[in-house]
Amino acid sequence: MIKNTNNVDVNSISIEVVFYDGEGKIIEIDSSNLEVLAAGLDRYVSFYETPEKYERYDVLIQVDKDAQNYYSSKLNDVSYECLLNKEDDEVIIRGKNNSSEKLEYVIFEIIHYDDKDNVINVKEAFEFDIRKNKSFEIDEYIDLYDDETYDPIAYSRYEIRLVEAYSLK
């Protein structure tokens, strides 16, 4: 998880994880980017090239201070509710852009926890190009499955958070 402790939005964030073996040699480098992180907000960051075995890792976070800020945060201008459709194992996020500007995108995090309240999965649900004062709906499967075996993965609870909502400046 990464948190913006500033009182302003931070743009163009690059996160890199360097994985090492027992001899200190690099075995994998994985990276992810966030276009913008709103003031005071935290986000989970996904990495997809994590090796199965590693001895240690370093996390490098870089912010391009010269990056243009093209986006204006509209987090406070989005209202939403979440409904569970048990029959189809999906969650329905119904929201509305209450701002006077078109939203380029909204992103929600769906965070799954195990019975000890550890995060076991985070996935994003998103919608693009939401006109001013218009509603939107996102349907997302809530169940988890192993990527290789497709066996179900048990979880005890989940939460849904709105983490991004931006219009162009």
Side-chain angles (χ1 to χ4, degrees), residues 5 10 62-63 67 72 79 91 95-96 98 115 123 135 163 167:
T5 58
V10 175
Q62 198 169 21
V63 176
S72 175
S79 57
V91 65
K96 184 174 182 188
N98 298 306
D115 58 356
K123 67 181 185 176
S135 297
V163 294
S167 66

Side-chain angles (χ1 to χ4, degrees), residues 53-72:
K53 294 182 181 182
Y54 56 90
E55 194 64 31
R56 68 178 185 88
Y57 63 90
D58 291 326
V59 178
L60 310 166
I61 301 173
Q62 198 169 21
V63 176
D64 183 354
K65 294 180 182 175
D66 297 325
Q68 287 283 353
N69 183 358
Y70 296 108
Y71 295 100
S72 175

